[in-house]
Amino acid sequence: MLRWLPKKLNKRQQLFFQLTIFSFCVHALGFAFYCFTSRQKVVALNMRTGIIDTETPIVVLPFVKSTGRLQMARTRRTKRVKQQIKTSKRITPRRPSSVQVAHINTPNKQVATNIAKTVPPVTQKLKVYTGKIKPVTHEKFTSEKILVKNIKHVQLVEPVQNISMAPVITQQPVFPTFATEKKEIQETEQEEQETIPNITDLVITEKLVQEENNPIILGREEYQMLQAYQSLHETITQNWQAPAGFQPKKECILLVNINNQGTVDTLTVEQSSGILAYDIAARMAVYQSIFPSELKKQSIRLHF
Amino acid sequence: MKLYAKLLSFYFTILPIALHTQVPLELTVSAKNFGPLRILCACNPNDSQKLTPIANNLSCLLQASHQFSLIKQNHPIPITKDDIAQHARNGFPLALFLSQQDQHAYWHLYDTLSVQYIKGKKIDTNILDTPQIALAIADQIWPELTSQQSSFISLIAACKQEPGLTKKRSKYSLYLMHPFLSTNQLKHIKITTTGSAIAPRWHPHKPILFYSQHTPTNVRLMATDTQKKSWVVTSFDGQNLTPTIARNGRTIIVISGGCCTKLYEYTFDESTQKRHFVCLTPMPGDFISPTFINDNDIIFCHINQNNGPRLGILNLTTHAYEWLPLKAALCPAVSPDGATVAFCKKIDGIYQLHTYGLKTKKERQITHGKQHIDECSWSACGNFLTCTIENDQTSRIAVINVHTGAINYLTPINECWAYPHWSARLTLPLKF
């Protein structure tokens, strides 16, 4: 089995060694599976630079858990995002905010258009795209060149103006005559992240980064987490009434453990600001805050 | 075999630890609202008669900056942690307990949120009266809460216009007042002077007060101390005004003789036992209001022949001038840390109070009212400024919070006061 084993080992030792290696491989696979399936519902992100600008429009993808765009949006707010165009050079066209895109998996053009009509009235405009989406530039993007071919996935994209007013599409579109294809759509949900180049392989050029009107595309988990962070930030900001006139040279950093009821379980002062009154006001604000349900049994580090 | 066993044991110990470690989420909070921090001032019920006046004075002092709110109640000194935690549940993150025993007053400060004892001290009540006991307590508590020295043990010297021998000729009398306590709590102290006294200036680190006194022939510079002794400092022809003293003892005096007002440095030659006055500003124009920035630089106000004021910095070693980019600025006053200059500047025809950072080169307007501001002076802690606010016919002494712009008047509206100057930190008991 293992030719590289030292020949001095007897059969019993060889058997034990092989069992050990086998059990190690099994445990490693189990560990990898556990890490993949038991990820935290709320993604751990360092938000020290604050929430992203709420005036920036946000596009939520209900079938995608996370896009990684939130982290990029944050860095874009404080620094310039250095552009890095991938070798495939897939640059999404700059679509106007009122346009929604639906990809319908059907070989028949007439059926596809009928299905498009059954989409809920929330969508204002609808365009039907072909199967293998060819990379198009902004200049070449015209509706006349779009043909209906084999399309794989259904995806509704609704732009929103701000977080608080963001309606999230939670209902899947209805396909009355294609029940089997609906199952295929659900089964291939994981493949969406690989086969939708518009989102996962989206590359923002430096010019687009500078334009503030470009929406930030988020997954549903990221959006829920962002809402939780926003509500937490507002709650603590309302409760924190710092005495005026203090100019601490250091931040007051508090580590808070939250219990099941959404209140503070333990609070530790990791770093003091050097002013006792300032630290006490920060601790008061934390004790008076009720944390959102998404952050139960979590630990949060607050910088004041 | 042993190596394999070690590998397996390592694997099974590290794996659970790696699975259960969580990286905490982080959030940065910025303040939008400002409010005072509540402090419970609990007097021992057995000594409430003696402690209540002290607590009243204490609340005036700690609430002067609007950073704290003192609520007075009667509670005994806590014995158990539950007693302290109960105050946290009642909404008091800090609790100050006062008690008196024999000839001493005691104070104890607690952090009720974490149920921890912060600090406590005793004060000898034989030497001090009620308001000065409160001053002592507040002066000891303030560094614990704010990590800064307080200005509670300091006085403001100012001049009050009083009727003179005739109706037309009124004179100015020199008074000392506390910046945070009212007249009812600590009465104004009058410095007896024979003539009219103006432009008081405190010694930076001694309890000596300089002032200029009118005589029939000139305006001479006088000094007085806590022993109520007065002596003549300089009596040259003309006006002898506003001395400024550095930490190393270097002294500069304003003397106006003839046509212009100049700055003179005072030195004493011990070998010849003679005083020397060296003119530092030979250029034309009037030089007034000198203040030391450090041991080697002074800031002053220069008024040119067209009566245009400007601020400048003079280096005493190189005798080089540096003019600040501030138009029509008057009455400079340097903060205790030497980083900021307060001055008065005309904005839309009204003199307003401004500050200018000597390192940051940034100017900030403090007041925005419709009354003229004049003659500003910094507190010992650097958080307050005292100045004269002029009405139509009268002027009042006010204390302004530099950070919030809050104004607190020390004198009534129907009286005429001028020339305020804030002392450095003094020692208790305050006697003049």
Side-chain angles (χ1 to χ4, degrees), chain B residues 182-199:
Chain B
S182 64
T183 312
N184 297 332
Q185 293 165 319
L186 190 63
K187 285 187 179 178
H188 294 171
I189 304 168
K190 185 173 181 177
I191 306 294
T192 54
T193 56
T194 52
S196 186
I198 60 169

Side-chain angles (χ1 to χ4, degrees), chain B residues 189-217:
Chain B
I189 304 168
K190 185 173 181 177
I191 306 294
T192 54
T193 56
T194 52
S196 186
I198 60 169
R201 288 289 186 271
W202 287 96
H203 195 284
H205 40 269
K206 288 181 184 178
I208 296 174
L209 179 64
F210 299 96
Y211 60 94
S212 298
Q213 187 183 48
H214 282 265
T215 67
T217 55

Side-chain angles (χ1 to χ4, degrees), chain B residues 204-234:
Chain B
H205 40 269
K206 288 181 184 178
I208 296 174
L209 179 64
F210 299 96
Y211 60 94
S212 298
Q213 187 183 48
H214 282 265
T215 67
T217 55
N218 66 349
V219 178
R220 61 184 181 181
L221 185 64
M222 299 290 291
T224 183
D225 60 3
T226 55
Q227 304 300 325
K228 297 188 179 179
K229 289 181 183 176
S230 300
W231 63 93
V232 178
V233 179
T234 58

Side-chain angles (χ1 to χ4, degrees), chain A residues 280, chain B residues 38-42 70 78 83-84 87-88 92-98 107-113 116-119 141 145:
Chain A
I280 288 176
Chain B
R38 296 184 73 193
I39 301 176
L40 171 66
C41 182
L70 214 69
D83 298 337
I84 302 169
H87 296 301
F92 298 107
L94 288 167
L96 176 67
F97 293 92
L98 302 177
W107 64 268
H108 305 276
L109 187 63
Y110 288 87
D111 179 358
T112 58
L113 290 176
Q116 281 185 351
Y117 177 77
I118 299 173
K119 203 170 185 180
I141 290 174
L145 297 176

Side-chain angles (χ1 to χ4, degrees), chain A residues 4-287:
Chain A
W4 53 269
L5 275 176
K7 293 181 180 178
K8 292 184 180 178
L9 293 175
N10 56 24
K11 288 185 180 178
R12 193 174 179 183
Q13 288 174 347
Q14 284 182 10
L15 178 62
F16 182 78
F17 182 78
Q18 288 172 3
L19 285 173
T20 306
I21 297 295
F22 178 73
S23 68
F24 177 80
C25 293
V26 168
H27 282 91
L29 285 173
F31 175 68
F33 180 75
Y34 173 77
C35 289
F36 182 75
T37 56
S38 65
R39 286 172 296 176
Q40 287 181 5
K41 289 184 180 179
V42 182
V43 180
L45 287 180
N46 185 347
M47 300 193 65
R48 290 189 66 184
T49 55
I51 310 287
I52 59 173
D53 188 4
T54 54
E55 295 179 356
T56 308
I58 293 172
V59 175
V60 181
L61 306 177
F63 299 112
V64 177
K65 289 184 180 179
S66 66
T67 62
R69 306 299 299 158
L70 186 59
Q71 188 77 19
M72 289 183 66
R74 280 189 51 253
T75 55
R76 188 173 70 179
R77 192 188 183 200
T78 56
K79 303 178 185 178
R80 278 189 177 183
V81 176
K82 293 184 180 180
Q83 49 177 312
Q84 186 177 0
I85 301 174
K86 292 188 177 181
T87 54
S88 59
K89 296 186 180 180
R90 288 175 177 176
I91 302 171
T92 57
R94 192 181 157 204
R95 299 190 182 88
S97 60
S98 61
V99 175
Q100 289 92 38
V101 177
H103 300 268
I104 302 172
N105 189 2
T106 172
N108 193 344
K109 178 182 178 179
Q110 186 61 36
V111 174
T113 52
N114 290 335
I115 290 169
K117 291 178 184 177
T118 61
V119 173
V122 176
T123 57
Q124 298 176 2
K125 291 185 183 178
L126 201 64
K127 290 189 179 181
V128 179
Y129 285 89
T130 60
K132 287 187 180 181
I133 300 169
K134 294 182 182 179
V136 293
T137 60
H138 181 65
E139 297 171 352
K140 295 181 183 178
F141 176 74
T142 55
S143 59
E144 297 174 355
K145 295 187 180 181
I146 297 169
L147 302 174
V148 178
K149 290 186 181 178
N150 291 328
I151 303 170
K152 289 190 178 179
H153 307 288
V154 178
Q155 169 192 346
L156 287 176
V157 174
E158 182 179 8
V160 295
Q161 293 303 317
N162 52 44
I163 298 173
S164 60
M165 305 261 312
V168 178
I169 300 171
T170 55
Q171 295 178 355
Q172 294 184 9
V174 177
F175 304 95
T177 58
F178 293 92
T180 54
E181 292 193 1
K182 184 179 176 182
K183 289 182 184 178
E184 291 178 7
I185 291 166
Q186 292 175 355
E187 289 172 1
T188 58
E189 197 174 296
Q190 292 183 359
E191 296 177 8
E192 289 177 2
Q193 297 184 7
E194 301 172 2
T195 57
I196 300 178
N198 298 337
I199 292 102
T200 56
D201 294 341
L202 184 64
V203 175
I204 300 177
T205 62
E206 189 171 2
K207 292 181 182 179
L208 293 177
V209 169
Q210 293 175 1
E211 293 171 358
E212 295 179 353
N213 292 328
N214 282 349
I216 300 170
I217 301 171
L218 301 178
R220 63 172 188 273
E221 283 188 356
E222 285 177 330
Y223 181 69
Q224 290 173 1
M225 181 268 301
L226 191 64
Q227 278 186 317
Y229 276 2
Q230 189 75 11
S231 65
L232 175 65
H233 189 269
E234 285 177 6
T235 304
I236 295 180
T237 304
Q238 281 175 5
N239 290 330
W240 186 38
Q241 293 188 344
F246 288 132
Q247 296 173 352
K249 294 180 181 179
K250 294 186 294 184
E251 278 183 331
C252 175
I253 302 175
L254 304 178
L255 183 64
V256 183
N257 291 324
I258 303 165
N259 55 17
N260 291 332
Q261 285 80 28
T263 55
V264 176
D265 188 16
T266 58
L267 189 146
T268 311
V269 180
E270 286 194 339
Q271 179 179 295
S272 171
S273 63
I275 299 173
L276 178 65
Y278 191 89
D279 295 343
I280 288 176
R283 284 156 54 197
M284 279 276 288
V286 172
Y287 279 119

Side-chain angles (χ1 to χ4, degrees), chain B residues 230-385:
Chain B
S230 300
W231 63 93
V232 178
V233 179
T234 58
S235 185
F236 293 102
D237 289 340
Q239 295 177 338
N240 301 262
L241 302 166
T242 58
T244 179
I245 302 170
R247 292 189 183 274
N248 57 4
R250 217 164 173 177
T251 307
I252 289 175
I253 301 171
V254 175
I255 298 175
S256 69
C259 57
C260 297
T261 307
K262 307 288 184 187
L263 302 181
Y264 291 83
E265 182 174 359
Y266 163 78
T267 54
F268 183 74
D269 190 351
E270 291 187 358
S271 59
T272 58
Q273 294 288 312
K274 284 188 178 178
R275 303 182 301 174
H276 296 277
F277 292 88
V278 178
C279 182
L280 301 173
T281 55
M283 59 188 286
D286 294 321
F287 293 81
I288 58 174
S289 304
T291 310
F292 269 98
I293 300 173
N294 49 43
D295 291 341
N296 217 23
D297 294 308
I298 58 166
I299 189 169
F300 57 90
C301 177
H302 172 252
I303 301 174
N304 58 20
Q305 294 169 353
N306 298 327
N307 288 331
R310 57 176 176 172
L311 299 184
I313 297 175
L314 172 63
N315 187 297
L316 297 175
T317 305
T318 62
H319 295 278
Y321 291 89
E322 178 192 346
W323 300 105
L324 298 181
L326 304 168
K327 295 180 181 178
L330 290 171
C331 310
V334 180
S335 61
D337 59 359
T340 313
V341 174
F343 59 94
C344 301
K345 184 177 172 182
K346 216 170 192 177
I347 303 289
D348 296 333
I350 298 173
Y351 277 100
Q352 304 287 0
L353 195 58
H354 290 69
T355 57
Y356 177 79
L358 292 172
K359 293 181 182 177
T360 61
K361 311 292 182 187
K362 286 184 180 177
E363 185 180 343
R364 187 168 78 96
Q365 184 173 346
I366 306 294
T367 59
H368 300 80
K370 296 181 180 178
Q371 296 164 329
H372 292 287
I373 307 287
D374 195 11
E375 289 283 339
C376 56
S377 173
W378 285 91
S379 64
C381 60
N383 294 321
F384 298 94
L385 282 164

